[in-house]
Amino acid sequence: MLKAADLGAIRAIITRAKRWDLFFAVLGLLSLMVGVLTFTVLFLDMAIQGVPRLSLDFFTNFPSRRAENAGILSAWVGTILVMLVTALAAVPLGVAAGVYLEEYAPKNWITDIIEINISNLAGIPSIVYGLLALGLFVYYFGFGQSILSAGLTLALLILPVIIVATRESIRAIPQSIHEGSYACGATTWQTVSDHILPYSSAGILTGVIIGMARAIGETAPIITIGALTFIAFLPPMPFAGDPAAGMFEWIFAPFTVMPIQMFNWTSRPEAAFTVNAAAAGFVLVFMTLAMNGLAIYLRYHLRKNIKW
Amino acid sequence: MQIQTGLEAGVEGTVLKAEVRDLDFHYGAFHALKRVSMPIYDRRVTALIGPSGCGKSTLLRCFNRMHDLYPGNRYSGGGIVFHPDNTNLLAPEVDPIEVRMRISMVFQKPNPFPKSIYENVAYSLRVRGMRNKNELDDRVESALKGAALWNEVSDRLKELGANLSGGQQQRLCIARALASDPEIILFDEPTSALDPIATASIEELVTELKEKVTILIVTHNMQQAARISDYTAYMYLGEMVEFGVTDQIFIKPTKKATEDYITGRFG
């Protein structure tokens, strides 16, 4: 039989224990705010400085020695073209490697070593990739300081991200679906192309876009391979100009990208260039957010019809 | 070869579809099946019963070489001889895909692909290279009829299989297993994830299906084995304890161990 005094004691214990709940909730909220507020302040500062500078001219002008005439045309075109090469190189390689490791590779110590190293590759500083690319792509293969070299460098950089994302999305497919396909008499390739890839595509795509969002802001490896900081012409359009450019001539063109353009402007003494850098930074953040938004939309869309 | 099962011969009019002969199986170092032998009769229902971990599912999954999908699994002795062509299903030179095209499987938990009802059933035909639309339509329809699902889904074949109820999903999986005209269908505890009504419909379906196809079913439910099977095999610790006509196994088992399990004194 519970006495009134006992009940009082129990309530006191609960009150005391709940104090820790409150303490941790406050601590957690503060920790969260450190991150969120810092980012908000930085972003707002950049937006307040940069947004008034945004105009059509800013997007259609080449860089200039005069801050008010300078624009980001060569930078955003360069960024998009480099990203295109990166995606075309990294997605097929990364997805194929991920599928191979999950579905085909024999489970032995060689595979284990490869697996461990892929996770490690994701942690290598990007400047190291830049040095590798300088030796391999720029000099050894002779691609020069071109869009191709930059795209391939960034592709190497995000390859581990795509491989890991591919493997994790494949592992998220229930074993029973996997066995169901084999039990129908499917080969490994039929299982991969009819089930594994369609059902994991949402996760793979998310990984691809997260990788691309990382690559779009990379500066160090691009500078290492020798991107220009001041460039006042665009890569040749396919089949345009005189003499007419080839289909793929643009990939060997010199280029610059958004973060390098920003870096260049911030190192100028004039205050007006700092405003330009803030505006370019705003555009770059917006490009990244747009990519993440696309990832969320596609993931929702692709997962709508997938229920286990 | 004489089968050591305690059963002298099949009931009159039965034909052997397959024989398990002195089968040994290892999961890595674990000896999961120990010299297991049993006959499988054509167009009959054979039930595998026994307590958890006795090897009944392991034995079932040997029939469609499901163990080949995972490293460390070994068919370490004996084999499964398939009639009438006398093929040892477990021989290394026999392609497991060929085996799975002849022997299909229904799993414990309904596992429809996240595709339409139609595509779920058509998949086992598509892997066989069937492309003709009319032929596919006909075969899908007859498989869904065979699985007693056609009346419920004929007007919504384009809908996702996952939108069906649990029992309907399991019948969809049976239709998928049936579509390719298999010689044996393996059922791995097909009703353990279903409610009693859905269970009854699956049991009824199994007894109808044996008109056309040989059935091997693993069940942890002895009443189910008694209700639907013609033959029953009792396994324990990876060994075949007793095989016989279901009535005989349940009414007068020859082994004490079988009797203890069946009467609920053990397991």
Side-chain angles (χ1 to χ4, degrees):
Chain A
M1 192 67 191
L2 193 70
K3 293 189 198 81
D6 292 343
L7 195 59
I10 287 172
R11 285 182 180 152
I13 290 168
I14 294 173
T15 315
R16 226 179 306 140
K18 276 200 169 171
R19 254 178 242 150
W20 285 101
D21 262 353
L22 182 69
F23 174 73
F24 188 79
V26 171
L27 190 74
L29 193 65
L30 285 176
S31 319
L32 183 66
M33 282 305 138
V34 171
V36 172
L37 285 179
T38 315
F39 175 77
T40 312
V41 168
L42 279 174
F43 184 73
L44 283 180
D45 180 53
M46 189 172 71
I48 291 166
Q49 257 202 321
V51 170
R53 179 68 184 82
L54 293 178
S55 63
L56 192 62
D57 283 350
F58 189 65
F59 288 95
T60 55
N61 282 357
F62 286 109
S64 159
R65 265 169 297 166
R66 292 170 39 194
E68 65 275 17
N69 287 349
I72 54 169
L73 178 63
S74 47
W76 71 257
V77 171
T79 287
I80 286 175
L81 292 179
V82 169
M83 285 296 114
L84 188 69
V85 172
T86 302
L88 288 178
V91 174
L93 285 177
V95 173
V99 167
Y100 175 80
L101 281 173
E102 278 306 304
E103 298 295 322
Y104 286 89
K107 303 280 176 273
N108 55 28
W109 61 272
I110 301 177
T111 316
D112 288 345
I113 289 176
I114 292 174
E115 286 190 28
I116 293 166
N117 279 299
I118 285 171
S119 316
N120 287 340
L121 277 180
I124 289 179
S126 57
I127 186 92
V128 177
Y129 283 99
L131 283 173
L132 169 80
L134 182 66
L136 188 69
F137 299 136
V138 178
Y139 295 125
Y140 188 77
F141 288 151
F143 296 157
Q145 298 165 342
S146 63
I147 290 175
L148 181 63
S149 296
L152 293 179
T153 309
L154 295 181
L156 280 187
L157 189 71
I158 67 169
L159 205 52
V161 178
I162 296 178
I163 295 174
V164 170
T166 302
R167 300 189 63 191
E168 277 170 8
S169 341
I170 290 177
R171 282 187 204 162
I173 297 171
Q175 198 66 53
S176 62
I177 296 287
H178 207 247
E179 289 190 350
S181 171
Y182 281 110
C184 284
T187 59
T188 307
W189 173 245
Q190 283 168 332
T191 303
V192 166
S193 66
D194 298 336
H195 303 286
I196 303 298
L197 285 178
Y199 309 157
S200 61
S201 57
I204 294 176
L205 216 76
T206 310
V208 167
I209 294 178
I210 289 171
M212 298 284 282
R214 178 182 169 193
I216 202 171
E218 276 298 340
T219 322
I222 304 282
I223 291 183
T224 315
I225 64 162
L228 300 180
T229 49
F230 186 98
I231 186 164
F233 54 88
L234 289 180
M237 284 267 283
F239 314 121
D242 186 37
M247 177 80 177
F248 293 111
E249 220 168 291
W250 58 271
I251 63 173
F252 293 109
F255 68 101
T256 191
V257 290
M258 297 283 293
I260 292 179
Q261 185 65 71
M262 279 179 71
F263 174 69
N264 175 242
W265 279 336
T266 48
S267 53
R268 298 283 195 98
E270 300 97 315
F273 278 112
T274 317
V275 174
N276 281 355
F282 183 79
V283 174
L284 185 59
V285 170
F286 189 80
M287 283 171 122
T288 314
L289 289 181
M291 283 172 81
N292 284 328
L294 183 71
I296 292 167
Y297 170 78
L298 287 172
R299 186 168 46 192
Y300 169 76
H301 215 70
L302 289 169
R303 287 213 176 133
K304 215 168 42 182
N305 283 340
I306 293 186
K307 280 192 252 175
W308 314 119
Chain B
M1 171 170 174
Q2 184 64 43
I3 299 157
Q4 308 297 322
T5 56
L7 188 78
E8 288 311 312
V11 174
E12 244 177 83
T14 57
V15 179
L16 262 182
K17 185 64 205 168
E19 288 167 88
V20 182
R21 288 183 185 167
D22 294 326
L23 178 61
D24 279 290
F25 181 80
H26 281 82
Y27 287 116
F30 177 64
H31 199 173
L33 294 177
K34 298 167 189 161
R35 290 182 70 86
V36 169
S37 293
M38 71 180 287
I40 308 291
Y41 292 106
D42 190 34
R43 277 166 290 163
R44 294 288 183 274
V45 178
T46 305
L48 296 171
I49 62 170
S52 299
C54 69
K56 54 193 193 300
S57 283
T58 305
L59 175 59
L60 190 82
R61 290 163 69 92
C62 288
F63 278 82
N64 67 345
R65 301 272 296 263
M66 227 44 187
H67 297 300
D68 291 36
L69 296 179
Y70 306 100
N73 295 341
R74 259 178 324 122
Y75 308 104
S76 34
I80 298 177
V81 179
F82 206 47
H83 295 298
D85 47 304
N86 248 333
T87 315
N88 177 7
L89 298 179
L90 304 184
E93 69 273 13
V94 172
D95 192 324
I97 293 167
E98 175 191 314
V99 175
R100 292 175 201 141
M101 289 207 173
R102 302 179 64 180
I103 301 181
S104 61
M105 182 163 181
V106 175
F107 293 80
Q108 189 167 1
K109 196 171 155 278
N111 62 345
F113 301 130
K115 295 180 186 285
S116 70
I117 293 171
Y118 181 93
E119 281 305 322
N120 261 285
V121 182
Y123 191 68
S124 43
L125 301 168
R126 290 195 193 279
V127 295
R128 285 160 177 78
M130 196 183 285
R131 293 285 174 269
N132 183 309
K133 179 88 176 63
N134 292 332
E135 204 180 349
L136 277 171
D137 287 351
D138 289 347
R139 293 283 292 268
V140 167
E141 181 178 338
S142 69
L144 283 169
K145 281 179 174 159
L149 191 61
W150 176 253
N151 291 336
E152 292 155 65
V153 302
S154 60
D155 54 343
R156 46 177 180 149
L157 293 175
K158 297 264 178 290
E159 275 181 38
L160 277 185
N163 290 341
L164 299 172
S165 73
Q168 288 175 323
Q169 285 187 26
Q170 195 61 302
R171 276 180 281 150
L172 178 62
C173 294
I174 293 174
R176 184 175 72 195
L178 206 54
S180 55
D181 256 331
E183 292 162 69
I184 299 184
I185 301 186
L186 310 171
F187 288 83
D188 189 0
E189 301 193 17
T191 60
S192 61
L194 302 180
D195 64 65
I197 294 172
T199 300
S201 76
I202 301 287
E203 286 184 6
E204 196 189 324
L205 185 55
V206 167
T207 40
E208 279 168 25
L209 286 177
K210 72 172 177 179
E211 307 281 316
K212 287 174 285 186
V213 57
T214 306
I215 288 168
L216 189 57
I217 181 167
V218 165
T219 176
H220 61 246
N221 179 335
M222 280 181 282
Q223 286 73 31
Q224 183 170 71
R227 277 193 298 268
I228 64 176
S229 70
D230 302 300
Y231 298 92
T232 297
Y234 171 58
M235 293 181 70
Y236 182 59
L237 294 179
E239 291 181 49
M240 181 61 66
V241 178
E242 187 167 358
F243 173 89
V245 175
T246 297
D247 290 344
Q248 175 251 311
I249 292 278
F250 279 90
I251 295 166
K252 50 177 180 56
T254 55
K255 301 264 173 61
K256 179 80 170 59
T258 314
E259 194 184 334
D260 286 351
Y261 181 69
I262 289 191
T263 53
R265 248 173 289 177
F266 159 78

